[in-house]
């Protein structure tokens, strides 16, 4: 029996152990390889793929969620699904980075990426306030460095510095909220907190005050208004693969802890009627501001930054619905589709920037004549982001809007549909530049390297599959949502 418990404990952190081993291998190879080329990148990418395979084979949780490592971590399907999602995001980011010389030939880049992925995995499984905070910082600190990785570019160093300052400030506020939770309840266990808070008869106003402080930190991670102001500048200045990782995997990590804390620590009683409209209001403001600001952007990375803010608002629709069958499931499914879609969009931007050195929207004029394949990837990813069938984004939006209607938030669903229409407009503006505008350079071929070809092909196939055969993926999302409770 003791050996069985040990096996369960170690299998629960199998991805984290494997990431540490891979990080050590990357460090050793970085020390001894003189001509690195793509070797470090392939080592990291293939290593991450092997970790995904091992996790699928040996790291699956049982039918009943279990607390492991003294209650610090919870081995359940929600954490399992998101760990796979973070690993996939790291694989794609590695493929995008290996042909950028200042990234792909530097071992510290892969070490920082792996460290951040490790932190995200711990965030997804954290069942204790102390573990949660440590996981958030393990995720964030490498990302601060990665955002400013191009030391010779002013925009990159500025992005890293801004991200560090705003992240440190919001993290401090969130930690103060955690300390108050411990003070009110006398425990740091997420699953004991609601019982202790109820037993100690914590006043509603105090609970809402703590929730507000905690939401500051989580809101920053997922770039929800009014904690969104860092995203456009950081996305524009950060290396493009890093910006893609920030907008997808990091955002998904923020949402998984938001779901766990909201629905476990504040699950019932007088809190739900109060925080439901708060989250719904944040959703409305976030998706509206993100879409409206995206309309006037001239830089593709800033446009995708505001688009990312808008999509955070769409996910919050599912969060505000507060139902396992529809609300949480739709939010999880939306995050999976969004990771695939937005990584594809940033992959195209990275491919184009490597050749042209520009990320302005007008520089994409005539792209369809320079590379039909790359233009097709933009078409698939942007139409999916816009929510056009038969792509994954359409199914994801339908489910979050249906969750709002099911929860009686019809007004929120209507606002979501209106915002989706606004989003279609600016996505089509970019596609118009790509397909209809002419350029002096349109006769020049735009080469796509093998890592980019592999990554973009896989992402496009995933986007189409999740839009046409979404049943298995939605079932996984529902299993993950049910395991939350």
């Amino acid at each position: 029996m003791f050996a069985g418990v040990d096996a369960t404990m170690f299998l629960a952190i199998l991805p984290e152990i494997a990431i540490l081993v891979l990080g050590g291998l990357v460090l050793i190879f970085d020390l001894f390889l003189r001509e690195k080329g793509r070797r470090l990148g392939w080592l990291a990418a293939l290593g991450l793929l092997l970790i995904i395979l091992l996790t699928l084979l040996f790291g699956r949780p049982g039918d009943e969620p279990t607390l492991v490592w003294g209650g610090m971590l919870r081995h359940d399907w929600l954490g399992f699904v998101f760990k796979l999602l973070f690993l996939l995001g790291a694989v794609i980011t590695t493929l995008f980075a290996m042909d950028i010389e200042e990234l792909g030939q530097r071992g510290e880049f892969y070490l920082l990426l792996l460290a951040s992925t490790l932190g995200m995995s711990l965030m997804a499984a954290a069942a204790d306030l102390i573990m949660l905070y440590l996981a958030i910082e393990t995720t964030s600190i490498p990302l601060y460095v990665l955002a400013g990785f191009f030391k010779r570019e002013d925009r990159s160093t500025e992005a890293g510095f801004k991200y560090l300052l705003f992240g440190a400030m919001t993290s401090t506020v969130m930690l103060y909220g955690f300390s108050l939770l411990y003070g009110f309840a006398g425990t740091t266990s997420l699953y004991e907190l609601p019982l202790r808070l109820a037993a100690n008869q914590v006043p509603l106003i105090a609970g809402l005050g703590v929730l507000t402080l905690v939401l500051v930190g989580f809101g920053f991670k997922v770039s929800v208004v009014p904690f969104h102001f860092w995203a456009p500048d950081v996305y524009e200045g950060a290396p493009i693969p890093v910006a893609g990782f920030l907008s997808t995997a990091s955002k998904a990590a923020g949402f998984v802890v938001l779901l766990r804390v909201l629905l476990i620590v504040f699950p019932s009683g007088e809190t739900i009627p109060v925080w439901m409209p708060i989250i719904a209001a944040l959703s409305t403001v976030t998706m509206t501001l993100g879409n409206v600001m995206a309309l006037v952007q001239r830089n593709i990375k800033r446009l995708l930054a505001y688009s990312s803010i808008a999509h955070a608002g769409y996910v919050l629709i599912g969060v505000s619905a507060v139902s396992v069958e529809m609300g949480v499931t739709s939010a999880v499914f939306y995050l999976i589709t969004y990771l695939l879609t937005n990584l594809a969009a940033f992959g195209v931007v990275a491919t184009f920037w490597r050749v042209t050195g520009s990320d302005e929207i007008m520089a994409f004029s005539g792209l369809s004549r320079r590379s039909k394949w790359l233009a097709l990837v933009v078409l698939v990813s942007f139409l999916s982001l816009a929510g056009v069938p038969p792509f994954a984004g359409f199914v994801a939006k339908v489910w979050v809007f249906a969750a709002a209607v099911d929860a009686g938030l019809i007004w929120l669903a209507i606002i979501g549909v209106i915002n989706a229409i606004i989003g279609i407009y600016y996505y089509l503006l970019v596609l118009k530049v790509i397909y209809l505008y002419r350029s002096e350079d349109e006769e020049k071929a735009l080469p796509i390297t093998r890592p980019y070809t592999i990554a973009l092909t896989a992402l496009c196939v995933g986007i189409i599959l999740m839009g046409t055969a979404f049943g298995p993926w939605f079932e996984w999302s529902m299993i993950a949502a049910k395991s939350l409770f």
Side-chain angles (χ1 to χ4, degrees):
M1 181 180 293
F2 184 74
V5 172
D6 279 352
T8 300
M9 290 174 66
F10 283 103
L11 289 176
I13 59 168
L14 176 63
E16 291 83 353
I17 295 173
I19 289 171
L20 282 175
V21 173
L22 179 60
L25 290 175
V26 169
L27 181 61
I28 292 170
F29 274 79
D30 184 45
L31 288 173
F32 290 102
L33 283 177
R34 293 185 177 180
E35 296 182 3
K36 298 181 177 64
R38 295 176 180 169
R39 294 177 184 177
L40 283 177
W42 284 120
L43 172 63
L46 295 175
L48 287 165
L49 283 173
L50 180 60
I51 295 172
I52 291 175
L53 180 61
L54 291 174
T55 304
L56 284 169
L57 291 176
F58 305 109
R60 289 181 176 234
D63 295 333
E64 293 296 326
T66 55
L67 292 174
V68 295
W69 296 103
M72 301 296 284
L73 298 172
R74 181 175 163 96
H75 190 38
D76 59 12
W77 276 90
L78 183 73
F80 175 76
V81 169
F82 275 92
K83 286 179 184 182
L84 293 176
L85 199 62
F86 303 146
L87 289 168
L88 176 62
V91 171
I92 300 299
T93 303
T94 300
L95 292 173
F96 288 157
M98 68 172 66
D99 281 334
I100 299 176
E101 186 175 347
E102 294 182 52
L103 294 179
Q105 297 188 23
R106 298 180 62 179
E108 58 268 33
F109 168 79
Y110 299 107
L111 285 174
L112 290 167
L113 182 67
L114 290 171
S116 184
T117 306
L118 172 63
M120 292 176 191
S121 296
L122 293 173
M123 283 175 68
D128 187 274
L129 290 176
I130 297 173
M131 174 56 71
L132 178 57
Y133 182 74
L134 291 174
I136 290 173
E137 292 305 298
T138 303
T139 300
S140 301
I141 293 172
L143 290 177
Y144 301 151
V145 182
L146 288 173
F149 205 78
F150 289 161
K151 295 183 295 183
R152 298 178 183 177
E153 293 187 13
D154 291 340
R155 288 196 308 174
S156 182
T157 54
E158 180 186 352
F161 189 61
K162 283 184 176 179
Y163 194 29
L164 170 63
L165 286 180
F166 296 146
M169 179 185 67
T170 55
S171 178
T172 303
V173 175
M174 179 187 66
L175 183 60
Y176 181 52
F178 285 176
S179 69
L180 289 177
L181 273 176
Y182 173 70
F184 288 142
T187 181
T188 55
S189 172
L190 294 181
Y191 287 83
E192 291 181 16
L193 276 171
L195 300 176
R196 297 285 189 91
L197 291 173
N200 294 339
Q201 296 181 339
V202 177
L204 176 62
I205 188 67
L208 287 176
V210 170
L211 178 62
T212 302
L213 294 174
V214 171
L215 284 178
V216 170
F218 295 164
F220 172 82
K221 289 298 294 180
V222 301
S223 60
V224 168
V225 174
F227 312 108
H228 68 288
F229 42 80
W230 61 273
D233 290 340
V234 172
Y235 286 19
E236 183 180 10
I240 297 174
V242 175
F245 192 67
L246 272 174
S247 72
T248 52
S250 179
K251 188 182 292 289
F255 270 112
V256 70
V257 295
L258 176 65
L259 286 168
R260 203 180 284 276
V261 170
L262 275 183
L263 297 177
I264 298 304
V265 180
F266 306 96
S268 60
E270 296 179 314
T271 54
I272 273 193
V274 177
W275 71 251
M276 272 185 64
I278 291 175
I279 299 298
L282 287 175
S283 171
T284 301
V285 176
T286 300
M287 59 185 168
T288 302
L289 185 140
N291 281 317
V292 171
M293 292 300 296
L295 291 172
V296 297
Q297 300 306 313
R298 297 293 177 265
N299 181 284
I300 190 72
K301 288 199 286 184
R302 293 186 72 87
L303 182 144
L304 288 173
Y306 282 109
S307 164
S308 176
I309 294 168
H311 283 279
Y314 296 135
V315 179
L316 284 179
I317 295 177
V319 177
S320 61
V322 200
S323 66
V324 178
E325 292 77 10
M326 294 291 287
V328 180
T329 302
S330 65
V332 173
F333 184 79
Y334 199 106
L335 289 168
I336 297 172
T337 62
Y338 176 73
L339 181 133
L340 297 178
T341 305
N342 218 45
L343 278 178
F346 272 100
V348 172
V349 177
T351 306
F352 188 82
W353 175 83
R354 280 187 60 255
V355 177
T356 66
S358 176
D359 50 26
E360 296 298 315
I361 293 175
M362 291 309 299
F364 285 76
S365 299
L367 178 62
S368 62
R369 296 171 182 83
R370 298 184 67 179
S371 173
K372 291 182 172 59
W373 159 240
L374 207 59
L376 179 63
V377 176
V378 181
L379 182 70
V380 170
S381 59
F382 272 39
L383 290 183
S384 182
L385 287 171
V388 175
F391 304 109
F394 170 74
V395 179
K397 281 188 171 63
V398 168
W399 279 112
V400 293
F401 296 157
V405 173
D406 186 62
L409 300 172
I410 299 175
W411 63 271
L412 185 58
I414 293 173
I415 293 175
V417 171
I418 293 172
N419 272 280
I421 295 171
I422 297 173
I424 291 174
Y425 178 75
Y426 62 78
Y427 292 126
L428 290 180
L429 283 180
V430 178
L431 292 175
K432 181 179 74 170
V433 170
I434 289 172
Y435 279 93
L436 300 182
Y437 283 25
R438 306 301 296 262
S439 169
E440 296 178 356
D441 299 325
E442 65 184 40
E443 298 300 326
K444 298 179 181 178
L446 204 154
I448 307 174
T449 61
R450 181 176 298 175
Y452 280 88
T453 302
I454 294 171
L456 292 175
T457 301
L459 291 170
C460 284
V461 170
I463 292 168
I464 295 171
L465 276 179
M466 291 194 70
T468 54
F470 62 88
W473 319 104
F474 193 80
E475 184 179 353
W476 268 43
S477 301
M478 183 171 291
I479 294 171
K482 288 182 177 178
S483 71
L484 179 63
F485 301 96

